[in-house]
Amino acid sequence: MRGLMEHGYFERQNKGLPHAPYVDFNIDVMFNYLPHYHEELEVIYTESGRMNITVGNREVPLDSGDIFTVSPSAIHSFRSDSICRNCIMKFHTPSILFDYELTFHVTPADTNYCRLDSLIKSIIKESRDSLPCREIAMSALSEEFMLTLVRQFGAKRKSTAELTRNHRYIEISSKIAEYFEAHYSEDITLETLADACGYSRYYLSRGFKEITSLSFSDFASSFRIEKAKRMLADGHGILDAAFACGFNNPRSFNRSFRKFAGQTPSEYIAAKKER
């Protein structure tokens, strides 16, 4: 994805609008996208290759042709371990649907797959072609997609316990991300993070992976690598980016960069220059 998260976990950019969903294409790339949430329904369509999406504490592998939808305000992340091609959409979601569970994994073998697949392909076509009344068509297709999820996939209202838990996780994850935003260049331990966020180390260590979908060490490295990628894209040198983002030596930086970006820093810079 082109955009990085802002203001902690809440993604304010790449928004779906009432008259047009946000549509983004990741073509022949490997990628890692940190845990985040937003007010829109998100749809991931895997055209080829394989990727993983984590929602809450559940990790789901997606194969070619799979469709995955993510409820508004659900914390989720993406990663791919190999080259893949996918389309990611974000639909402006009416507030009446915020209390519904809209997270579904749909495969080509599932009933009603063809209907969702057809709607997605129509939205992709509209996003690429300048056809008459394009905004009306995009709005109508988006609403039909959401209505199909609710009626044909049996979307149910979330329980009070689920809504309360999601609220609490968002509050905690936002505090975590805000602290990392301010201190990612420093040495951060689980103890210092817990103290800063007002939680016990025991509570945070038990719930960190469930809340963020990553272990503490993987979250710290992922966050720093995203910052480093931005610095490299802006023309900073590899060593400057490594030390500015909290890595103590080039070896650990290169190892983490390859793990979370799928390539070395040098390969990342070269790929940026080719685009």
Side-chain angles (χ1 to χ4, degrees):
M1 258 189 189
R2 291 187 291 272
L4 293 175
M5 290 179 293
E6 295 184 55
H7 307 295
Y9 275 65
F10 185 68
E11 188 183 60
R12 298 179 183 276
Q13 55 198 109
N14 304 334
K15 295 183 72 65
L17 302 175
H19 59 273
Y22 168 77
V23 182
D24 191 15
F25 302 95
N26 295 295
I27 299 175
D28 298 334
V29 295
M30 292 177 64
F31 63 95
N32 177 70
Y33 202 61
L34 285 168
H36 62 288
Y37 69 95
H38 35 69
E39 295 175 341
E40 298 93 349
L41 170 74
E42 185 155 15
V43 178
I44 301 93
Y45 179 61
T46 310
E47 294 188 41
S48 64
R50 185 180 175 88
M51 61 180 286
N52 291 278
I53 181 167
T54 300
V55 181
N57 61 352
R58 180 167 68 109
E59 184 171 8
V60 181
L62 304 184
D63 291 314
S64 297
D66 284 6
I67 299 168
F68 198 93
T69 62
V70 182
S71 299
S73 296
I75 298 173
H76 58 288
S77 60
F78 315 116
R79 67 177 175 83
S80 65
D81 297 323
S82 60
I83 297 298
C84 65
R85 176 177 300 200
N86 61 60
C87 178
I88 294 178
M89 304 176 182
K90 287 163 68 175
F91 296 116
H92 176 82
T93 309
S95 59
I96 193 173
L97 293 181
F98 283 8
D99 290 348
Y100 279 84
E101 180 56 68
L102 299 176
T103 298
F104 294 102
H105 180 200
V106 186
T107 72
D110 291 332
T111 305
N112 298 321
Y113 171 86
C114 291
R115 184 61 194 142
L116 289 187
D117 181 64
S118 175
L119 288 167
I120 286 173
K121 288 176 178 174
S122 294
I123 291 170
I124 291 174
K125 179 176 175 58
E126 290 289 343
S127 71
R128 287 173 165 167
D129 300 336
S130 298
L131 299 173
C133 302
R134 175 178 175 272
E135 291 185 351
I136 295 175
M138 292 283 267
S139 178
L141 289 166
S142 300
E143 290 180 359
E144 186 173 356
F145 188 96
M146 288 185 281
L147 187 60
T148 299
L149 282 184
V150 172
R151 290 189 172 175
Q152 296 189 24
F153 286 83
K156 297 179 180 179
R157 286 186 179 274
K158 298 175 184 176
S159 68
T160 301
E162 290 174 318
L163 292 171
T164 300
R165 183 177 64 249
N166 194 55
H167 241 348
R168 186 173 72 252
Y169 282 6
I170 287 173
E171 179 183 356
I172 297 171
S173 64
S174 295
K175 288 183 178 180
I176 292 170
E178 286 170 9
Y179 186 82
F180 268 91
E181 186 69 37
H183 301 279
Y184 65 86
S185 62
E186 306 166 15
D187 181 30
I188 302 175
T189 66
L190 195 58
E191 289 82 358
T192 59
L193 177 64
D195 288 343
C197 294
Y199 305 111
S200 71
R201 183 192 184 282
Y202 175 74
Y203 176 80
L204 199 59
S205 64
R206 281 191 63 197
F208 197 95
K209 186 174 179 64
E210 184 173 355
I211 293 166
T212 68
S213 80
L214 295 172
S215 68
F216 174 76
S217 59
D218 278 355
F219 178 87
S221 295
S222 290
F223 197 101
R224 288 169 170 144
I225 291 302
E226 289 301 319
K227 293 296 183 182
K229 284 164 66 177
R230 176 174 285 183
M231 288 187 67
L232 295 177
D234 289 341
H236 292 274
I238 293 175
L239 285 179
D240 288 342
F243 291 119
C245 294
F247 291 92
N248 295 323
N249 59 73
R251 180 176 295 178
S252 64
F253 177 63
N254 287 338
R255 185 170 59 248
S256 291
F257 203 98
R258 179 182 286 278
K259 178 179 179 180
F260 294 105
Q263 53 194 168
T264 66
S266 297
E267 291 169 342
Y268 177 80
I269 293 171
K272 282 288 183 182
K273 290 179 179 178
E274 291 175 0
R275 293 178 185 174

